Amino acid sequence: MWISGRAAAVPGSVFALMDAAKERARAAGRVVTDLSIGSSDLSPPEAVLSALREATRDPATYRYPLFSDTAPLREAAARYLSRRFGVQVDPQTEVLPLIGAQEGLAHLLLAVTDPGDTLLLPDPGYPPYLGAAAVAGVQVAPLPLREEHGFLPDLDAVPASLRPRALLLNYPNNPTSAVVDDDFFSRVAAWCRARGTLLIHDHPYAELTFGDYHAPSALQAGVGGVVELHSLSKTHHMGGFRVGFAAGDAGAIAALARVKGSVDFHPYLGIQRAAALALDLPEALGRQGAAVFQARRDALVPALRDLGWTVAWPQASMYAWARVPGLQDSVAFAVRAAEQTGVALSPGAAFGRQGEGYVRLALVQPPEVLLDAAQRLGEVET
């Protein structure tokens, strides 16, 4: 009787569903290989851990951190954006630390939208996007991402009468691993500005790119009318630290700071120090982690194709997005796979209507484990 309409509107979690299936597999004595959650299994750089350990011995880090205390992290974020993307932002007014990008998006929607506004949201897309929209009370207009279009949005197909308050995109993409070229965000930003729409870009996989591909930033299309969310969870393997930053339009950042000021005190100062150091590390260190995921991609994708599954060759991210022939119910398939083989993956339908018929596998195990998982998945009936 105490649940609010906002809370009731939040969709159920696919991760909770898969957790239950994994527990049943363990109870049956199966060895569980969990490929359902995109949580990096790699360790943060040693210099980052050393900085955090040292900070825990500094009593000055134990107090509530105020906005002024976030300056070193904001300045490191600005340096990172300049060095990596050639983007210039004011660390005082155009950067704000986050307790993870997922938290940042939920608060950003509360800061820049009103109940009843329209959010243009990719389908398939990361499930918590829908939860954040529900909490903010906004109306979701799905933006289909189809395989025949490279899982890119067709903005020309959006009705001219629709004037969304915000458009949320995510490239390199979760769940499809699709990537965009250097001109993509210029076209999208122009579309958004013509409609009075805020462009929000969720960019947690900025550095998990393979080969010669380097992911662009939406901020390269201009800071005005654009907010980009960055996370250290994937790029620096700091998922449990819960730290990231938002950068972009000064008005939107100020609104976000106003909302956050009423609900949190920023990350622990020791974590801020560690994050600032991580953002200043040489790019080569980040490429080491990307190389690990690339080797896993090289092992898993051919093995899935040998099963007859259709899998694109990911140029970035930490996922393989596979279309399974004849698959009509991806949720039931994922549950059967976990219960019968111990291999846990994410059903495509959990990411939206356009995801039905697909499954997502996270590259969070060594190559030999991924090969074994693919072999076991071949035993599951569609």
Side-chain angles (χ1 to χ4, degrees):
M1 63 181 289
W2 295 113
I3 190 168
S4 70
R6 290 185 299 274
V10 174
S13 171
V14 65
F15 302 118
L17 176 71
M18 294 311 302
D19 275 346
K22 286 180 284 186
E23 285 305 310
R24 291 193 293 273
R26 292 188 182 98
R30 301 191 186 283
V31 175
V32 171
T33 300
D34 193 354
L35 310 181
S36 65
I37 299 179
S39 179
S40 176
D41 60 317
L42 305 184
S43 297
E46 181 54 38
V48 172
L49 297 177
S50 295
L52 179 58
R53 283 191 289 265
E54 184 64 27
T56 63
R57 293 187 282 269
D58 180 0
T61 68
Y62 303 161
R63 58 183 171 79
Y64 290 129
L66 303 177
F67 177 77
S68 59
D69 296 314
T70 69
L73 178 52
R74 286 184 280 113
E75 291 164 0
R79 288 192 298 271
Y80 164 76
L81 292 172
S82 175
R83 183 177 68 250
R84 172 66 174 79
F85 302 107
V87 169
Q88 305 304 315
V89 293
D90 183 343
Q92 182 68 18
T93 61
E94 297 174 334
V95 181
L96 188 68
L98 304 174
I99 305 177
Q102 185 168 320
E103 166 271 326
L105 173 64
H107 286 154
L108 179 62
L109 292 183
L110 289 172
V112 301
T113 69
D114 288 311
D117 283 345
T118 298
L119 172 66
L120 200 52
L121 199 62
D123 178 4
Y126 183 45
Y129 293 165
L130 289 171
V135 170
V138 298
Q139 303 296 315
V140 170
L143 183 62
L145 306 181
R146 296 190 171 93
E147 187 174 351
E148 58 267 28
H149 296 151
F151 298 111
L152 302 181
D154 182 6
L155 293 176
D156 292 335
V158 177
S161 59
L162 185 64
R163 291 291 188 270
R165 178 68 171 174
L167 163 64
L168 173 59
L169 294 176
N170 159 228
Y171 291 99
N173 185 256
N174 176 15
T176 70
S177 293
V179 298
V180 296
D181 60 27
D182 290 342
D183 296 327
F184 174 80
F185 287 115
S186 294
R187 300 191 297 270
V188 173
W191 185 94
C192 287
R193 287 165 183 149
R195 299 207 183 194
T197 299
L198 178 68
L199 171 58
I200 303 172
H201 183 228
D202 188 21
H203 207 7
Y205 305 98
E207 303 305 332
L208 283 186
T209 60
F210 309 144
D212 295 330
Y213 179 74
H214 292 276
S217 164
L219 297 172
Q220 290 170 283
V223 173
V226 179
V227 174
E228 189 162 80
L229 306 173
H230 285 262
S231 169
L232 281 79
S233 295
K234 320 293 185 181
T235 57
H236 296 85
H237 320 293
M238 296 172 65
F241 292 64
R242 307 315 304 141
V243 63
F245 65 90
D249 186 278
I253 294 297
L256 175 59
R258 189 165 184 167
V259 168
K260 284 175 60 63
S262 69
V263 294
D264 74 59
F265 271 101
H266 307 292
Y268 163 57
L269 281 169
I271 289 177
Q272 290 191 48
R273 290 183 186 179
L277 186 149
L279 290 169
D280 279 332
L281 288 173
E283 182 181 349
L285 284 178
R287 302 305 301 164
Q288 292 176 4
V292 171
F293 287 99
Q294 181 174 342
R296 296 172 177 184
R297 173 205 69 178
D298 294 346
L300 180 61
V301 171
L304 296 178
R305 289 177 174 177
D306 286 344
L307 299 179
W309 296 10
T310 301
V311 192
W313 193 254
Q315 293 180 269
S317 89
M318 57 194 305
Y319 307 109
W321 180 245
R323 179 158 49 85
V324 182
L327 186 58
Q328 300 295 321
D329 187 338
S330 58
V331 173
F333 175 79
V335 170
R336 282 199 306 275
E339 292 177 343
Q340 296 175 9
T341 73
V343 178
L345 41 74
S346 293
F351 300 92
R353 181 176 299 179
Q354 298 296 326
E356 187 54 274
Y358 294 84
V359 294
R360 191 198 73 175
L361 302 94
L363 304 174
V364 293
Q365 297 287 344
E368 62 274 15
V369 177
L370 294 173
L371 289 173
D372 175 69
Q375 183 177 8
R376 288 148 66 188
L377 287 171
E379 303 169 4
V380 184
E381 295 183 1
T382 58

